[in-house]
Amino acid sequence: MTRIAVWGASGFIGGALCAAAEARNWTVQRLPREGADASTLAGVEIAYHCAGKAAQTDPEAYVDTTERFARACAAAGVGRLVYLSTVAVYGLKLSGTIETDAPLAGRGAYAESRIGAERVLQQTLAGGGSRLCIVRVPAILGAGMSGTVIRRFARAVGWGVFPHPGPADATLACLGVRRLAELLARIGEAPAARPLWQFSDHLPWAEIARRVGELRGRRILRIRLPALGGKLALLASTARYGDHSGLFGDAAGLPATREDLDAALGP
């Protein structure tokens, strides 16, 4: 029976991952918030690092705790460490296709903490027996999500008007939490560990606005505005992140991101 450890098991993504693992009859060890040492990880085959919040305020502390976790995994002989990172490491992208070989140019505490963590994990585990899998993802959607981008958008659109500062085909790069949890579990099952993965769906903002209208029982009027800067620039983004879910060969059988969108928009 596969034995895994999940750091961040009490969180939004970690909880969904534990459910996906238990559905496979895996033995799941939920690690405390402070992490784990080698004795705690004894007998663990796969360790998942899902800890940390989007509102990261201390990149140095996050990188330090990640390094300690990696050293504990190596000392315990954990075969695979799967680290959940973010497409924010690339910086704000408004157009084009972004693959995993793009430069890491993210700014701000959140992006910088993840860039630092990726690098320290690679350095710490290089040449050892623990294989590293980095997984970069965009915004994660679902019931109980901690992020507010969708709920804020839904509240604004709930007035019946969608002020859209960009092209009609602008999208939100996102992923349903149940879809992500299934993908993380499949990475654990994969016989060969790829060092870098990326998963992303792209839902048109116009479609999200229309869905808000359906759930609220009203028609949404789209009003096109001039392009705006800052966080509102995301509403005008047509950028697409490369997606590796098809490498499993049966991506069509994965949970749908749109289902988790509905859950995120729920009452």
Side-chain angles (χ1 to χ4, degrees), residues 29-167:
Q29 183 173 348
R30 291 167 170 82
L31 299 176
R33 189 177 297 273
E34 58 269 21
D37 56 25
S39 60
T40 306
L41 294 168
V44 169
E45 299 168 62
I46 310 162
Y48 289 90
H49 181 342
C50 304
K53 297 182 178 179
Q56 192 71 40
T57 57
D58 190 346
E60 185 174 343
Y62 179 83
V63 173
D64 287 346
T65 57
T66 296
E67 181 178 9
R68 289 198 296 271
F69 184 64
R71 293 191 183 283
C73 288
V78 174
R80 190 172 302 182
L81 194 166
V82 181
Y83 172 62
L84 186 64
S85 188
T86 169
V87 296
V89 298
Y90 304 118
L92 181 62
K93 301 295 182 183
L94 299 180
S95 62
T97 300
I98 301 93
E99 300 291 353
T100 53
D101 58 355
L104 304 188
R107 295 290 181 268
Y110 176 54
E112 290 168 6
S113 67
R114 271 51 181 182
I115 291 173
E118 286 191 16
R119 288 173 174 164
V120 79
L121 286 167
Q122 291 166 338
Q123 294 165 2
T124 303
L125 299 181
S130 298
R131 300 294 301 276
L132 174 64
C133 299
I134 294 171
V135 183
R136 294 175 184 159
V137 297
I140 306 303
L141 309 181
M145 61 185 289
S146 57
T148 58
V149 60
I150 284 294
R151 287 200 173 273
R152 287 179 178 174
F153 178 80
R155 282 198 296 269
V157 173
W159 292 98
V161 176
F162 173 26
H164 192 175

Side-chain angles (χ1 to χ4, degrees), residues 80 131 133 186-195 197 248:
R80 190 172 302 182
R131 300 294 301 276
C133 299
R186 293 191 186 193
I187 287 175
E189 293 172 326
R194 289 172 54 92
W197 297 80
F248 293 111

